[in-house]
Amino acid sequence: MKPYLVSLRIVFLASIFLFQSCSKDEETQPAASGISINNTSLGNVLTDETGRTLYFFANDVDGASTCKGNCLTNWPVFYRENPSLGTGLNASDFGTITNADGSKQTTYKTWPLYYYAKDAKAGDVSGENVGNIWFVAKPDYSIMLSNAQLKGHDGKSYTSKYVEGTESTIFFVDAQGRTLYGFRNDKNKKNNFTKADFSNNSVWPIFETTLGSVPSVLDKTLFSTISVAGRNQLTYNGWPLYYFGQDNNQRGVTKGVSFPSPGVWPIIQKETPVAPQ
């Protein structure tokens, strides 16, 4: 074979080898690991790098994952190590927990994140409000829902009727899972507890927020804002909303349900009736 033909053959084979090598590298390179905000039929929600919707579980109000066994078949945990974050997301809002089985799970504002197995494609939100306790993970919730046992400051367990007993109750919490209460002596859109100088606000701090998203099961028009000595307090069905100071800003704690006696400061629920005039 003539020398110049040999040279051409070598160059040709080298090109094929280089092309195959590059193709193989591209095939084996892992997909980018990320979390973004994407628009769906329910508004903006957190998604993974492929656009699949992520969810919160109301039973996880204390920040630990309570989905186990068969639950995980329908609600696989979401975990990404050091994910890239899309526009509008802050790294400080994300964390990682280690579950009892040793698996790791990513959290957002300390809510563990999940997929829903029945979501077939990017943008699907069919897991919203399943069992009244699963909700799409939105970045701007003002109100979330908890499903938990009520336990008072006296250490006793209470039902939603404020009698001693065991029962899971669905009630309002803020975006970080902190319990919200009403005051039995308040009137419709009238705070009868907080002093004008806020000297007692540390006992029952008013819930001050700009209303963002709420779970789709709730009617957003039932929320409003009142002015309390120049500060804004969120209301639901006319009831001004409060934290309880002795809950110490801890997720899922409900000590206020029995202080000073059961039912004086009830938790707020979807079914809470309109406050009296």
Side-chain angles (χ1 to χ4, degrees):
M1 183 177 293
K2 295 181 178 180
Y4 75 89
L5 291 177
V6 172
S7 298
L8 288 175
R9 178 180 175 83
I10 291 173
V11 171
F12 177 72
L13 291 175
S15 299
I16 293 176
F17 177 77
L18 180 61
F19 175 78
Q20 290 176 337
S21 298
C22 292
S23 298
K24 184 176 181 180
D25 288 341
E26 291 173 357
E27 290 173 0
T28 59
Q29 185 177 1
S33 172
I35 303 172
S36 300
I37 300 173
N38 281 296
N39 189 257
T40 69
S41 59
L42 292 175
N44 288 334
V45 304
L46 299 184
T47 70
D48 73 358
E49 58 277 351
T50 68
R52 288 191 63 194
T53 301
L54 302 175
Y55 293 86
F56 294 149
F57 186 25
N59 292 22
D60 291 350
V61 66
D62 67 357
S65 174
T66 58
C67 181
K68 305 180 187 304
N70 291 336
C71 172
L72 292 173
T73 301
N74 289 322
W75 302 95
V77 302
F78 170 80
Y79 173 66
R80 296 290 185 275
E81 183 177 4
N82 300 318
S84 61
L85 300 179
T87 302
L89 295 175
N90 298 312
S92 60
D93 288 327
F94 292 88
T96 299
I97 58 174
T98 301
N99 298 321
D101 62 1
S103 65
K104 292 185 177 182
Q105 189 166 4
T106 300
T107 64
Y108 180 71
K109 294 182 178 179
T110 63
W111 289 95
L113 294 170
Y114 302 83
Y115 290 113
Y116 184 43
K118 295 183 180 180
D119 280 349
K121 62 184 183 303
D124 282 357
V125 289
S126 56
E128 173 72 1
N129 202 34
V130 169
N132 299 315
I133 51 178
W134 288 93
F135 305 99
V136 294
K138 291 192 173 186
D140 65 339
Y141 278 123
S142 292
I143 298 290
M144 263 299 294
L145 293 174
S146 164
N147 183 42
Q149 174 67 55
L150 301 178
K151 293 184 178 179
H153 81 295
D154 53 9
K156 297 178 181 179
S157 295
Y158 288 89
T159 71
S160 57
K161 302 299 182 182
Y162 307 103
V163 297
E164 290 184 44
T166 302
E167 174 189 73
S168 289
T169 298
I170 298 176
F171 56 93
F172 287 12
V173 294
D174 71 1
Q176 285 75 37
R178 297 173 294 188
T179 303
L180 298 171
Y181 302 84
F183 180 36
R184 186 172 63 188
N185 294 339
D186 280 348
K187 299 299 182 182
N188 197 295
K189 298 184 180 180
K190 178 68 169 63
N191 177 327
N192 286 325
F193 174 79
T194 306
K195 294 181 180 180
D197 62 359
F198 281 84
S199 59
N200 63 346
N201 191 56
S202 61
V203 183
W204 291 95
I206 65 173
F207 181 39
E208 301 176 78
T209 190
T210 299
L211 185 64
S213 293
V214 302
S216 63
V217 68
L218 301 179
D219 183 349
K220 197 171 182 178
T221 66
L222 298 181
F223 293 90
S224 62
T225 300
I226 60 172
S227 178
V228 180
R231 291 162 64 171
N232 291 329
Q233 183 176 17
L234 194 69
T235 71
Y236 176 74
N237 255 348
W239 291 100
L241 302 180
Y242 304 79
Y243 295 112
F244 182 42
Q246 292 188 42
D247 285 348
N248 293 319
N249 288 319
Q250 292 182 294
R251 297 178 57 96
V253 178
T254 59
K255 291 181 178 179
V257 296
S258 66
F259 184 88
S261 59
V264 176
W265 290 86
I267 45 88
I268 299 296
Q269 301 175 273
K270 175 188 175 183
E271 300 80 11
T272 295
V274 176
Q277 297 291 337

